[in-house]
Amino acid sequence: MAKSYRIAAIPGDGIGVEVIAAGLEVLEALTALDGGFQLDVTHFDWGSDRFRRTGSLMPADGADTLRAFDAILFGAVGAPDIPDHLTLWGLRLAICQPLDQYANVRPTRILPGIRSPLAGVRPGDLDWVIVRENTEGEYAGQGGRSHRGLPHEAATEVAIFTRAGVTRIMRFAFEMARSRPRKKLTVVTKSNAQRFGLVLWDEIAAEVAREFPDVSWDKMLVDAMTVRMTLNPASLDTIVATNLHADILSDLAAALAGSIGIAPTANLNPTGAAPSMFEPIHGSAFDIAGKGIANPIATFWTAAMMLEHLGEKAAAARMIRAMEYVTADPTLHTPDLGGNASTKQVTDAFIAALAEVEA
């Protein structure tokens, strides 16, 4: 009897609706070809439209509702008429933090048929995994505002770095590095200026490194890291950084690999105590929403990461092979990659490729 996984689908806003629909269409085709598992998908209308109707992006018990699922497939959140901090904290972070999805994993590589904007860079020169601490740090939600509207109005944003939180993400990153062929980790910091939280970050990195003698590691200040990513990408492999720093660096990484439209993300609860959430990183992109030109590749790659997490490794590998087959064809590039293909054309080609690639 085929295994069945309960999937919560939250398309959210903008192109999130379009790419999640494409992702689910591809997954349905995959399960029909595979036969070894099924996906029981429940749709949730959480997002900015719900906020306009009810004043909240999701129900107060939304995170608890999601605990019943095996995984979450998330599109995007954000709308031009609603402040970004309301949408982010009202939905994405309102899921990640209660479900303790503390490890954000963002693979980046140059896919077949896609050119990096970096001159002379070959595909193998840029093959990274960025591990982002995902529940504390600069996005812990600590701080406040006082004396509003007065000349001496003050706002504080407090970054929280706990020994437990830093240790677990550092250990996760070293384990990720160990699982990759080069067994190399770069720890990103800013401890020259942030002399408390990120000095602790540095100290814990050195402590955890002793548990992984087979992993080579080095340390970079975040500003110098942007230079290294751009000028010497082949020197990097696995990267770990704080919530804010990795958020920024992963967007740079996606651009260097050709487009943010191909970049996937996994928000993992490595303990399995709560479901993990999988999302493309491109955001809601309201400037192209409804035009049928959003690149669904990031969602397909994200869906492959979800299948891998669920233990369906063969199906995940099939998704990756189909993705590489499709991106290799320049006639299937969407506008973000310099082409003219539509979301539907890429999706249809991907489904056809699933039937062609070796299972």
Side-chain angles (χ1 to χ4, degrees):
M1 183 176 178
K3 289 176 285 187
S4 181
Y5 301 101
R6 294 195 65 195
I7 307 299
I10 308 173
D13 300 330
I15 66 169
V17 176
E18 301 167 50
V19 296
I20 292 302
L24 292 173
E25 185 179 352
V26 161
L27 286 169
E28 183 178 0
L30 176 67
T31 56
L33 289 167
D34 185 283
F37 68 98
Q38 295 295 321
L39 301 178
D40 178 10
V41 180
T42 301
H43 296 262
F44 293 89
D45 67 343
W46 301 348
S48 294
D49 283 344
R50 188 183 191 279
F51 179 85
R52 296 185 192 98
R53 294 194 315 268
T54 69
S56 63
L57 284 97
M58 73 178 197
D61 63 349
D64 285 335
T65 298
L66 295 174
R67 291 182 184 277
F69 292 84
D70 297 300
I72 305 157
L73 189 60
F74 184 86
V77 65
D81 60 323
I82 303 173
D84 286 342
H85 67 280
L86 295 180
T87 52
L88 181 65
W89 282 94
L91 189 56
R92 185 187 175 277
L93 293 181
I95 295 171
C96 288
Q97 291 191 352
L99 298 185
D100 204 22
Q101 296 167 350
Y102 69 82
N104 178 282
V105 179
R106 300 190 173 194
T108 305
R109 62 185 174 94
I110 302 174
L111 297 175
I114 296 176
R115 296 182 64 181
S116 168
L118 296 176
V121 172
R122 299 164 298 179
D125 293 339
L126 199 164
D127 185 354
W128 306 330
V129 173
I130 297 178
V131 175
R132 169 187 175 186
E133 197 292 313
N134 207 37
T135 57
E136 54 176 49
E138 303 89 347
Y139 298 175
Q142 297 293 311
R145 291 173 65 178
S146 60
H147 311 297
R148 288 176 180 259
L150 298 176
H152 56 285
E153 181 175 357
T156 60
E157 201 76 51
V158 181
I160 303 294
F161 299 97
T162 67
R163 174 165 285 277
V166 178
T167 299
R168 67 182 185 177
I169 197 62
M170 206 62 69
R171 189 168 285 130
F172 181 94
F174 271 95
E175 289 171 349
M176 176 67 70
R178 173 182 274 171
S179 73
R180 289 169 56 81
R182 294 177 65 187
K183 293 181 170 52
K184 177 179 175 59
L185 178 67
T186 298
V187 177
V188 177
T189 186
K190 190 59 182 169
S191 51
N192 59 341
Q194 294 175 278
R195 57 185 177 149
F196 302 114
L198 291 190
V199 169
L200 176 66
W201 178 271
D202 286 351
E203 291 172 355
I204 292 174
E207 291 170 12
V208 173
R210 290 195 286 270
E211 302 174 21
F212 298 86
D214 55 328
V215 176
S216 63
W217 73 288
D218 60 1
K219 186 174 67 172
M220 291 291 294
L221 296 176
V222 65
D223 41 352
M225 185 64 171
T226 63
V227 177
R228 183 175 172 186
M229 289 170 69
T230 306
L231 298 184
N232 194 9
S235 70
L236 297 164
D237 186 76
T238 308
I239 300 159
V240 63
T242 70
N243 214 331
L244 174 62
H245 294 160
D247 191 7
I248 296 168
L249 293 177
S250 58
D251 278 14
L252 172 61
L256 296 178
S259 171
I260 200 169
I262 60 174
T265 307
N267 301 287
L268 301 179
N269 180 319
T271 70
S276 296
M277 182 166 70
F278 302 83
E279 60 172 323
I281 75 170
H282 50 56
S284 52
F286 266 82
D287 57 326
I288 61 169
K291 297 181 180 180
I293 59 172
N295 192 339
I297 291 296
T299 301
F300 300 158
W301 195 348
T302 294
M305 294 179 75
M306 181 180 75
L307 292 173
E308 172 107 16
H309 178 73
L310 292 172
E312 299 296 337
K313 298 186 184 303
R318 190 172 189 170
M319 288 277 286
I320 295 298
R321 288 193 294 272
M323 177 179 71
E324 293 171 340
Y325 184 90
V326 168
T327 62
D329 184 349
T331 68
L332 296 172
H333 289 184
T334 43
D336 60 298
L337 293 171
N340 298 302
S342 67
T343 308
K344 185 179 188 315
Q345 287 172 321
V346 177
T347 303
D348 290 346
F350 196 99
I351 290 171
L354 285 173
E356 293 292 329
V357 298
E358 183 181 352

